Amino acid sequence: MERSQVFNFSAGPAMLPEPVLEKTAAELCNYHGTGMSVTEMSHRGKVFIQIAAEVEQKLRDVMGIPEGYKPLFLQGGATLQFSAVPMNLIGKTGRADYAVTGNFSNSAYKEAQRYGEINLACSSKDRNYSYIPAQDSLKLGPGAAYFHYCMNNTIFGTKWNYIPDTGDVPLVSDVSSCILSEPIDVSRFGLLYAGAQKNMGPSGLTVVIVREDILGEPLPCTPGLLDYRNQIKNDSMVNTPPCFGIYLLGLVLDWVVEMGGLEAMKAYNKEKAQILYDVLDTSDFYIAVAEKDFRSLMNVTFRTRSEELDKQFVKEAAEKGFLTLAGHRLAGGMRASIYNAMPMAGVTGLAAFMRDFEQKNG
Amino acid sequence: MERSQVFNFSAGPAMLPEPVLEKTAAELCNYHGTGMSVTEMSHRGKVFIQIAAEVEQKLRDVMGIPEGYKPLFLQGGATLQFSAVPMNLIGKTGRADYAVTGNFSNSAYKEAQRYGEINLACSSKDRNYSYIPAQDSLKLGPGAAYFHYCMNNTIFGTKWNYIPDTGDVPLVSDVSSCILSEPIDVSRFGLLYAGAQKNMGPSGLTVVIVREDILGEPLPCTPGLLDYRNQIKNDSMVNTPPCFGIYLLGLVLDWVVEMGGLEAMKAYNKEKAQILYDVLDTSDFYIAVAEKDFRSLMNVTFRTRSEELDKQFVKEAAEKGFLTLAGHRLAGGMRASIYNAMPMAGVTGLAAFMRDFEQKNG
């Protein structure tokens, strides 16, 4: 099939902007007349050092990252940060607060327990993670070194509709599935982290943005590579970084700028999501999984009234080029992940298919 | 410059075979008619699952990996394995033996000290890591859970010319700069690991080959992502793996097979290295850094009699398209890294340049 015939609704790795892929392909064998691929260059050489510095600056510009924060380009995905965050931050008090609003935040909560005393600040498990607990229901523990939450829950399709107020306790957030999809007020956070493979680039690159003054001594068992201070001191090059991912992130950031920046991305993403939520809200056939106030702009979750119909939906959609729409087994049903790079045509096409499928099977 | 005008002697990331890059570029926007880039695919989808399974099988075939061993496709480079190895293996006795024959093995030795009692089995620091200590000089400690060494020392250009005999103590080796360059008898090892960016693919992919029966309980502080048993159980997909690197490794393995496999690669690499060592051995101008018995086939280290001339060499070589020849600051002088993908023309060209430079400045 041609690219134009396919819309890939995968939760990640996910679609990349077509111009980004075309540029990558065009310069893959010879980057800017160096006679080398970007995958072949020494990370300590002038050309790549400049690429990395430019990508850092672009990320600072696009996200409005304030002074005192350092963006790091690391490896291991969000999952490795589930360990690195407590290893680096919990030492001050030995305690941290975790909000559990989905599968990944639950994994982070469980992983953190290896490294200190973890307080469950809230959980939305009672309604299968279909909502986000309110500020006044958060049970903040005493002496937390930080408060951790996952801003957008990829599997259940929910998003925090507020930034928790935790007083002086630094906020740490996994923003894997919403980074670059809309502005984030970085100054409200102690640390943000994200796997790249949804809105930023290929898998294998992990971005961490850390306020340097929250860093103290890491736990003694912390691998040197996971020590943020060490990575800050070495500009993310304690060892060879994931060069191709960093380069590709730069191209994605250029594209975001061309699209008008994060405010424009947000407007575009709202428009796209609304088209699908409108189908859900005007239908007796589809059931929205996430509660209305907490709907994600990135992951639209829904189901029909039977698992059999869900399967049929996914199968028929795929035949029409709307791929990877099966929901995660924990949420069931369907999930349309519509990150930045999903074009409007993919969303309007899916909406039309949904209405058509409802008419035939409703 | 055109690719044909450039030979990149970087120690890593390093040259990739041109046909591999061309194929990657050709199918970057649309992999095998899926309408998707390999960087956009869900790692849990059929297409990528098949890619990953095929790459694992190709690696098993090319390296002759016996039953009972599992190849893992991880992240974080060899440096993260400096932590993961003791975290996973030292638990049984709390002790391990480390051979220090260069910069990276020294880093591994220091990192391991966070996790147990580490015995320095040997060091070649006395002659600035220009040689490998002999078997009968290895001081094996009591109750070592494993013996760790770095097979090829990238910075100093030395290679172990024997596999240490450690009795029942499992051998662990960092083979980052020699994997796929010649056959390795995997059955002699408990664990092999390698960053991909020298002989296997782009940076950001790390290959671990582990004999499953040496694995016990990891240390309690081990991040879930670094727990080998967890990765084995999940076929390297505890979380999203570095998909692009895995795919590219597959293409590199196809190329190795086309080149005739690892015996043929070894013959080719010996021929290439010999051309440069012949220049060194027939010259009063150049000084070989590594002692003769321990010369690496991958990293040829040398210098002239003055730092000034060294700099001039590196500069003039670059002007002729022989790039990244400056030695690491710890070894000084020059280093020509000639991994699998360095074509014969690069080596003969460099040899001619070396003779020419000697004639002009000798």
Side-chain angles (χ1 to χ4, degrees), chain A residues 268-282 338 344 347-352 354-355:
Chain A
Y268 186 56
N269 286 325
K270 276 180 96 164
E271 195 186 342
K272 285 190 290 178
Q274 199 53 52
I275 289 168
L276 297 181
Y277 286 123
D278 279 349
V279 175
L280 302 184
D281 290 341
T282 58
I338 49 173
M344 183 61 77
V347 172
T348 54
L350 176 60
M354 286 171 76
R355 289 212 171 85

Side-chain angles (χ1 to χ4, degrees), chain A residues 52-65:
Chain A
E54 283 177 7
V55 173
E56 179 177 333
Q57 191 55 51
K58 284 175 198 175
L59 188 68
R60 285 184 179 278
D61 294 346
V62 165
M63 290 190 66
I65 298 173

Side-chain angles (χ1 to χ4, degrees), chain B residues 95-106:
Chain B
R95 294 157 180 263
D97 289 335
Y98 275 68
V100 173
T101 57
N103 181 57
F104 290 106
S105 55
N106 191 42

Side-chain angles (χ1 to χ4, degrees), chain A residues 199-259:
Chain A
N199 260 329
M200 290 195 289
S203 64
L205 168 66
T206 312
V207 171
V208 169
I209 301 166
V210 59
R211 204 176 83 202
E212 298 192 40
D213 66 7
I214 70 167
L215 295 174
E217 199 67 34
L219 298 183
C221 65
T222 307
L225 196 73
L226 302 189
D227 178 344
Y228 296 140
R229 298 172 317 172
N230 196 15
Q231 290 287 8
I232 290 170
K233 202 170 61 188
N234 288 282
D235 265 328
S236 306
M237 294 197 196
V238 169
N239 70 341
T240 317
C243 299
F244 180 73
I246 292 170
Y247 153 78
L248 222 147
L249 170 57
L251 298 184
V252 168
L253 288 166
D254 290 342
W255 175 82
V256 168
V257 169
E258 275 164 38
M259 293 288 285

Side-chain angles (χ1 to χ4, degrees), chain B residues 26-324:
Chain B
E27 57 195 28
L28 192 76
C29 295
N30 190 346
Y31 175 80
H32 292 199
T34 56
M36 293 185 274
S37 172
V38 77
T39 64
E40 299 177 302
M41 288 173 189
S42 170
H43 57 297
R44 311 260 183 224
K46 274 184 201 164
V47 180
F48 190 78
I49 291 281
Q50 192 184 332
I51 291 174
E54 283 176 7
V55 174
E56 180 179 332
Q57 191 56 51
K58 284 176 197 173
L59 188 68
R60 285 184 180 277
D61 293 345
V62 166
M63 290 188 67
I65 299 173
E67 286 298 306
Y69 285 78
K70 177 71 176 174
L72 295 173
F73 302 111
L74 307 177
Q75 299 184 55
T79 303
L80 194 52
Q81 295 307 316
F82 296 170
S83 316
V85 164
M87 282 174 153
N88 279 278
L89 300 184
I90 210 166
K92 279 183 187 169
T93 66
R95 294 157 180 263
D97 289 335
Y98 275 68
V100 173
T101 57
N103 181 57
F104 290 106
S105 55
N106 191 42
S107 296
Y109 166 66
K110 285 197 281 190
E111 184 73 14
Q113 290 170 24
R114 297 183 201 274
Y115 307 106
E117 205 172 308
I118 307 302
N119 169 55
L120 182 62
C122 69
S123 166
S124 56
K125 195 181 176 186
D126 57 335
R127 298 206 298 272
N128 199 30
Y129 303 119
S130 59
Y131 72 104
I132 302 296
Q135 168 76 46
D136 60 13
S137 73
L138 302 181
K139 294 186 188 76
L140 304 181
Y146 62 93
F147 178 102
H148 179 281
Y149 75 109
C150 178
M151 197 177 286
N152 184 89
N153 298 282
T154 323
I155 290 176
F156 299 95
T158 61
K159 187 180 174 237
W160 285 65
N161 58 358
Y162 69 98
I163 296 179
D165 179 357
T166 55
D168 290 338
V169 176
L171 281 177
V172 173
S173 190
D174 176 354
V175 291
S176 293
S177 50
C178 59
I179 192 167
L180 299 188
S181 71
E182 59 180 307
I184 295 176
D185 183 354
V186 178
S187 72
R188 299 282 299 274
F189 293 87
L191 189 145
L192 296 166
Y193 65 93
Q197 69 272 10
K198 298 166 194 295
N199 260 330
M200 289 194 290
S203 63
L205 169 66
T206 312
V207 171
V208 170
I209 301 166
V210 59
R211 204 176 81 202
E212 298 192 41
D213 65 7
I214 69 167
L215 296 174
E217 199 66 34
L219 298 183
C221 65
T222 307
L225 196 73
L226 303 189
D227 178 343
Y228 296 139
R229 298 173 316 172
N230 196 15
Q231 290 287 8
I232 290 170
K233 202 170 62 189
N234 289 281
D235 264 329
S236 305
M237 294 199 196
V238 169
N239 70 341
T240 316
C243 299
F244 180 73
I246 292 169
Y247 153 77
L248 222 146
L249 170 57
L251 299 184
V252 168
L253 289 167
D254 290 342
W255 175 81
V256 168
V257 170
E258 275 165 38
M259 294 288 283
L262 293 188
E263 284 291 357
M265 284 306 333
K266 181 182 183 180
Y268 186 56
N269 287 325
K270 275 180 96 164
E271 194 185 343
K272 286 190 290 177
Q274 197 54 51
I275 289 169
L276 297 181
Y277 286 122
D278 279 348
V279 176
L280 302 185
D281 290 341
T282 56
S283 159
D284 294 326
F285 180 75
Y286 296 109
I287 302 154
V289 169
E291 295 182 16
K292 235 173 185 173
D293 286 347
F294 314 103
R295 284 173 167 175
S296 167
L297 297 183
M298 295 287 102
N299 314 97
V300 178
T301 49
F302 57 100
R303 54 189 176 83
T304 69
R305 292 190 192 278
S306 87
E307 283 186 29
E308 204 182 314
L309 269 179
D310 289 348
K311 277 184 193 154
Q312 196 184 325
F313 179 100
V314 171
K315 185 171 167 286
E316 288 184 23
E319 286 162 9
K320 296 212 179 306
F322 304 112
L323 304 185
T324 333

Side-chain angles (χ1 to χ4, degrees), chain A residues 166-222:
Chain A
T166 55
D168 290 338
V169 176
L171 281 177
V172 173
S173 191
D174 176 354
V175 291
S176 293
S177 50
C178 59
I179 193 167
L180 299 187
S181 71
E182 59 180 306
I184 294 176
D185 183 354
V186 177
S187 72
R188 298 282 300 276
F189 294 87
L191 189 146
L192 296 167
Y193 66 92
Q197 67 274 13
K198 298 163 193 295
N199 260 329
M200 290 195 289
S203 64
L205 168 66
T206 312
V207 171
V208 169
I209 301 166
V210 59
R211 204 176 83 202
E212 298 192 40
D213 66 7
I214 70 167
L215 295 174
E217 199 67 34
L219 298 183
C221 65
T222 307

